[in-house]
Amino acid sequence: MKRIFVCDEMHPSLFEMLDGAGFAYTYQPKAKRDEILEQIADYEGLMIRNKTRVDEAFLQAATRLEFIGRAGAGLDLIDREACDRHHVRLFAANAGNMDAVGEHALGMLLALLNHIHTADREVRQKIWLREANRGTELGGKTVGLIGYGHNGQAFAKRLSGFNVNVLAYDKYRDNYSDAYARQASMEQLFEQADVLSLHIPLTDETNYLVREDFISQFQKPFYLINCSRGEIVQLAAVLQGLQSGKILGACLDVLENEKLHQLPAGPDEVFDSLIQLPNVIFTPHVAGWTHESYVRINEVLVQQISNAVSKDRVAE
């Protein structure tokens, strides 16, 4: 029986699933890194969410480790090259929250285009401004997607009822045009996009992808959506784009630094300026965080691990 150390907070549904799949497990969501390292040598599996970073030092302590399951999308907390060296397989539940991300991205965009966030606050104060809150229709616009994996596809599918032209650029895929998006080059996105939405992992290549020189290449003013990773977008460049009119508005579910309570005391010029702008919508990294996805992530992850372990047993 494979033993799994679950060291981050998980939805309770996980444990019945692990029992049903024949895994033993230890659940210590409050365990600190040194406490995990003291125990990890006894386990073949590890399940993490957002707290635990897996690097070379971690893997050297995890002498029996065969696989890591990330209960979420993306593997940026994990040193993938080190895992390859230690022959540790990686699983991520990217499909578990794709519907949530697609709906959230669309919701943020519609709220921004129709001033729903600002109009609601005004009406609560008995301010009735119709002309100032005149909306902009999504129909007829070109939406550019960078990344056309699970989340990009889910967003494109939800855009299909809005009479938009969806262009998708994915550096690591070929022949991926479908009923919801047309494969495009980055140059086509620069030329045609009215809306840009990011659906890519954080890597050395994508870190600060969206910065001043990147933004300047767009031929038209555009709306920006980031429901991927905060470090992909340089907020100072976004602020400059908003001030110049190059960026018409921004939907930001993620930030460069999401530990807002740990920001240095005193003014933060960029963040303090962004929060004053009515054409910026923030949410606290919850695009993929619905009641449904919390359970679905466990289902996807346990199924992936179970399938892999079953194949290993057959091969033996």
Side-chain angles (χ1 to χ4, degrees), residues 4-301:
I4 300 175
F5 196 117
V6 185
C7 57
D8 278 352
E9 197 77 39
M10 301 285 182
H11 188 274
S13 63
L14 173 67
F15 310 116
E16 184 177 349
M17 296 177 197
L18 290 175
D19 288 334
F23 292 106
Y25 58 86
T26 297
Y27 183 49
Q28 295 185 18
K30 305 297 185 184
K32 295 185 177 3
R33 181 180 173 89
D34 58 347
E35 296 171 327
I36 299 170
L37 291 179
E38 288 175 0
Q39 303 175 65
I40 193 61
D42 295 329
Y43 296 88
E44 290 81 24
L46 174 71
M47 279 192 177
I48 63 173
R49 187 177 292 282
N50 297 316
K51 179 187 73 176
T52 306
R53 183 169 294 279
V54 179
D55 52 18
E56 177 64 33
F58 188 104
L59 292 167
Q60 286 181 2
T63 53
R64 299 173 64 93
L65 197 64
E66 298 175 8
F67 59 84
I68 299 172
R70 164 99 206 291
L75 296 168
D76 42 284
L77 287 172
I78 301 171
D79 185 334
R80 301 176 72 172
E81 293 182 359
C83 287
D84 287 341
R85 290 194 299 271
H86 289 266
H87 307 291
V88 174
R89 288 178 292 183
L90 301 177
F91 302 95
N94 294 347
N97 62 1
M98 64 181 190
D99 292 332
V101 172
E103 290 185 15
H104 193 93
L106 180 58
M108 291 186 85
L109 180 58
L110 292 174
L112 182 66
L113 291 175
N114 293 284
H115 310 289
I116 292 172
H117 58 304
T118 54
D120 173 77
R121 290 196 295 267
E122 290 169 358
V123 173
R124 290 172 189 270
Q125 299 174 60
K126 299 182 180 179
I127 299 170
W128 194 265
L129 300 175
R130 296 186 69 219
E131 184 57 36
N133 288 297
R134 186 187 292 271
T136 299
E137 294 182 14
L138 182 55
K141 292 183 169 47
T142 295
V143 179
L145 311 179
I146 301 182
Y148 202 58
H150 292 291
N151 291 340
Q153 292 172 43
F155 184 39
K157 184 175 182 179
R158 280 150 184 80
L159 289 167
S160 62
F162 286 86
N163 188 33
V164 295
N165 176 35
V166 181
L167 302 178
Y169 169 72
D170 194 312
K171 182 177 180 178
Y172 300 101
R173 299 189 65 196
D174 295 308
N175 304 316
Y176 52 87
S177 293
D178 59 20
Y180 307 112
R182 179 162 53 90
Q183 181 175 337
S185 66
M186 197 61 235
E187 289 69 28
Q188 288 175 296
L189 265 62
F190 285 139
E191 179 183 352
Q192 300 179 42
D194 299 295
V195 177
L196 177 69
S197 189
L198 305 172
H199 300 279
I200 48 180
L202 177 63
T203 65
D204 290 341
E205 186 177 19
T206 63
N207 189 57
Y208 281 158
L209 171 70
V210 180
R211 53 186 187 271
E212 185 178 349
D213 60 339
F214 178 90
I215 293 169
S216 68
Q217 295 182 72
F218 283 84
Q219 300 301 301
K220 298 188 287 185
F222 66 98
Y223 296 92
L224 173 68
I225 306 171
N226 188 14
C227 291
S228 54
R229 288 292 185 269
E231 297 93 329
I232 293 172
V233 174
Q234 188 178 55
L235 290 183
V238 172
L239 176 60
Q240 184 178 41
L242 289 161
Q243 291 171 335
S244 70
K246 188 72 174 184
I247 297 179
L248 297 172
C251 302
L252 303 174
D253 179 57
V254 289
L255 300 174
E256 293 172 71
N257 183 354
E258 296 180 358
K259 295 182 171 66
L260 298 182
H261 63 286
Q262 294 181 8
L263 290 175
D268 182 303
E269 183 177 348
V270 172
F271 183 73
D272 291 347
S273 296
L274 284 171
I275 63 177
Q276 300 300 319
L277 298 178
N279 55 341
V280 179
I281 295 181
F282 297 99
T283 50
H285 202 150
V286 293
W289 194 244
T290 62
H291 295 287
E292 293 81 4
S293 72
Y294 201 12
V295 176
R296 196 177 301 120
I297 282 170
N298 290 341
E299 294 172 344
V300 170
L301 195 58

